[in-house]
């Protein structure tokens, strides 16, 4: 295990998408989705840097070009092997801990990431040798699309050694949450954040329309607070459920 406490945010993003191709760079009120997400992630106080982890495929050249233009660090690795891609990014930037963020969630909460990192450090001090993963992606956590996972680098190292099937390596975090080799913690969010029936991801055209409406209506731009987003959706219940039929809620 690597020590030193260097924490980075790894944003996984690529242009390929079966339901909404090119969504990483789709415009939201004048800025590409990925740029808005990176701007929000830069507000996180407990992470050293934000790194976009994309693939080495030619279709993702544009992501690297945009990151360079925005001043965002980028790493390129295997398209389908997410475990290897994120571990490669952690290697390249000397990360001992990381937060995994998906590139289709522009309203990921930077305050929530700080809370995850704080809890991760506490759990690592008292846990011993098991790899640690902390997340708020559950019914008592953040709304779908606003949460993330923070983990020790050893989570990736273990999965890289032991996971052989492509599906498992793509969904290494789901594997970690189900197996006793890891110490996994569900971090609960404040009651005014918990909205398990709100969906703030971008996977369909309806999702994109909802996110654009939020950016048009909630002040603050990329600095808007999740509490204000939720307050707006609570006041507009029909809008809040506009895309709910397209998504599976967190399991009970």
């Amino acid at each position: 295990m690597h020590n030193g406490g260097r924490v980075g945010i790894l944003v996984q993003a690529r242009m390929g998408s079966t339901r909404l191709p090119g969504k990483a760079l789709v415009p939201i009120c004048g800025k590409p989705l990925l740029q808005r997400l990176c701007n929000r992630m830069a507000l996180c106080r407990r992470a050293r840097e934000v790194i976009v982890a994309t693939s080495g495929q030619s279709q993702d050249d544009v992501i690297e070009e945009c990151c360079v233009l925005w001043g965002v660090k980028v790493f390129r690795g295997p398209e389908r092997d997410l475990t290897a891609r994120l571990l490669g990014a952690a290697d390249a930037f000397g990360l001992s801990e990381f937060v995994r963020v998906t590139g289709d969630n522009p309203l990921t909460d930077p305050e929530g990431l700080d809370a995850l990192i704080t809890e991760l450090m506490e759990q690592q001090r008292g846990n011993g040798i098991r790899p640690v993963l902390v997340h708020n992606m559950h019914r008592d956590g953040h709304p779908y699309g606003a949460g993330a996972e923070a983990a020790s680098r050893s989570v990736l190292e273990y999965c890289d050694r032991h996971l052989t099937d492509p599906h498992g390596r793509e969904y290494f975090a789901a594997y970690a949450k189900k197996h006793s080799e890891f110490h996994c913690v569900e971090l609960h969010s404040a009651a005014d954040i918990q909205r398990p029936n709100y969906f703030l991801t971008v996977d369909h055209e309806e999702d994109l329309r909802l996110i654009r409406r939020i950016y048009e209506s909630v002040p603050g731009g990329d600095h808007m607070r999740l509490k204000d987003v939720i307050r707006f959706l609570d006041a507009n219940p029909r809008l809040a459920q506009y895309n709910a039929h397209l998504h599976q809620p967190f399991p009970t």
Side-chain angles (χ1 to χ4, degrees):
M1 180 185 295
H2 290 242
N3 295 311
R6 188 176 182 87
V7 184
I9 298 170
L10 300 180
V11 181
Q12 62 181 76
R14 56 189 184 89
M15 293 298 286
S17 170
T18 55
R19 286 185 286 262
L20 197 59
K23 63 183 177 181
L25 297 180
V26 70
I28 298 175
C29 298
K31 289 183 186 177
L33 186 157
L34 183 59
Q35 185 181 19
R36 290 201 176 278
L37 173 58
C38 289
N39 288 348
R40 285 181 65 77
M41 297 301 88
L43 301 175
C44 183
R45 298 180 177 181
R46 299 221 58 191
R48 190 77 66 89
E49 52 204 344
V50 179
I51 301 143
V52 170
T54 191
S55 90
Q57 299 295 310
S58 59
Q59 66 180 356
D60 290 323
D61 290 350
V62 64
I63 289 184
E64 181 176 19
E65 292 164 4
C66 287
C67 287
V68 171
L69 182 65
W70 304 332
V72 175
K73 295 175 181 178
V74 64
F75 175 83
R76 303 188 70 169
E79 181 182 25
R80 298 296 178 182
D81 189 341
L82 185 60
T83 296
R85 193 194 324 162
L86 296 188
L87 183 56
D91 279 339
F93 291 93
L95 305 183
S96 53
E97 290 84 23
F98 68 97
V99 182
R100 182 181 80 105
V101 173
T102 58
D104 50 7
N105 294 342
L107 290 174
T108 302
D109 179 30
E111 295 179 51
L113 266 59
D114 281 330
L116 287 173
I117 295 168
T118 298
E119 183 66 21
L120 173 65
M121 298 306 185
E122 289 295 323
Q123 293 291 334
Q124 288 191 145
R125 276 193 282 269
N127 177 65
I129 62 172
R130 280 195 298 170
V132 179
L133 184 145
V134 179
H135 71 100
N136 54 14
M137 300 167 64
H138 54 90
R139 288 191 66 83
D140 296 322
H142 272 40
Y144 191 99
E149 297 146 341
S152 58
R153 175 203 181 93
S154 54
V155 169
L156 289 171
E157 292 173 335
Y158 183 97
C159 290
D160 189 51
R161 289 194 303 269
H162 296 282
L163 296 184
T164 56
D165 67 289
H167 184 270
R169 294 181 68 84
E170 180 76 9
Y171 297 100
F172 71 90
Y175 176 87
K177 292 170 187 176
K178 295 177 181 177
H179 290 81
S180 60
E181 295 92 337
F182 305 88
H183 178 63
C184 295
V185 176
E186 291 186 351
L187 188 64
H188 287 212
S189 303
D192 60 352
I193 294 294
Q194 294 179 19
R195 295 294 187 279
N197 297 316
Y198 288 3
F199 300 92
L200 301 177
T201 191
V202 176
D203 210 20
H204 304 271
E205 284 288 346
E206 290 87 342
D207 300 330
L208 184 57
R209 294 190 196 109
L210 174 61
I211 295 296
R212 284 172 172 161
R213 180 70 180 278
I214 290 170
Y215 270 88
E216 291 167 354
S217 305
V218 180
D222 298 332
H223 292 246
M224 76 175 76
R225 299 189 69 189
L226 182 60
K227 291 180 181 180
D228 294 330
V229 173
I230 289 177
R231 194 175 294 117
F232 168 70
L233 293 176
D234 286 348
N236 296 274
R238 289 183 64 183
L239 181 64
Q241 293 303 300
Y242 176 70
N243 61 342
H245 65 289
L246 297 168
H247 299 283
Q248 292 292 324
F250 292 118
T252 56

